[in-house]
Amino acid sequence: MTPDPTPTFDARDVPSTITPSEPSEYDRGVIRQLWLDHGDTGAERQICRTITALEGALAGADRAIADGRLAEVSTYARQISRLGASIGFRSVARIAPMVEETAIRRDPAAVASTLARLTRHCDRSIYEIWDISGT
């Protein structure tokens, strides 16, 4: 009798959760320039306004996906890219066009996946910006 070529599988070897991990990228020079141009208070206000706008655009993109309005996702992605670049969120500015591209192709699964990636980068960048903002 020939052995079964199918490998055996032990469920204990499989991670219970999948946690994507990819470092966010930000441009410290943009943050420094904001501080130089606007001072402490002005730079913080600018960053807070931009972060609020980013959060609104991400929420809008989520709603558009849920409602099947992929053309609107493209608009939100362009806005997110521009906003991210304005405060030095390199990875956000780089990933947002990927969301736009998947929306243009009308691929809902790819849009949802790339938007989730973009959201993770926004979250990480927002968290990290306060660590570098005064330097």
Side-chain angles (χ1 to χ4, degrees):
M1 183 170 261
T2 60
D4 184 8
T6 307
T8 59
F9 174 77
D10 186 345
R12 293 174 294 187
D13 295 333
V14 177
S16 59
T17 59
I18 298 174
T19 308
S21 179
E22 180 180 10
S24 60
E25 302 163 15
Y26 49 86
D27 186 341
R28 290 175 182 257
V30 171
I31 302 303
R32 280 190 201 104
Q33 195 60 51
L34 283 171
W35 249 254
L36 291 171
D37 292 346
H38 303 287
D40 289 348
T41 304
E44 284 186 25
R45 282 187 191 139
Q46 179 67 31
I47 290 168
C48 288
R49 278 193 301 268
T50 303
I51 287 172
T52 300
L54 273 170
E55 290 170 344
L58 284 168
D62 277 335
R63 284 189 306 274
I65 288 173
D67 295 342
R69 299 183 324 262
L70 295 183
E72 286 182 37
V73 174
S74 293
T75 302
Y76 285 117
R78 282 190 303 275
Q79 180 183 10
I80 291 166
S81 181
R82 181 182 49 77
L83 290 166
S86 76
I87 56 173
F89 289 7
R90 282 185 185 164
S91 54
V92 170
R94 180 176 45 82
I95 295 167
M98 295 175 195
V99 174
E100 180 181 9
E101 180 182 320
T102 60
I104 290 168
R105 286 195 329 247
R106 306 192 78 54
D107 184 344
V111 172
S113 150
T114 54
L115 185 61
R117 179 180 178 213
L118 178 61
T119 300
R120 285 191 304 274
H121 277 271
C122 279
D123 291 345
R124 285 186 197 121
S125 295
I126 290 167
Y127 178 78
E128 292 172 359
I129 196 170
W130 299 116
D131 287 339
I132 65 165
S133 59
T135 62

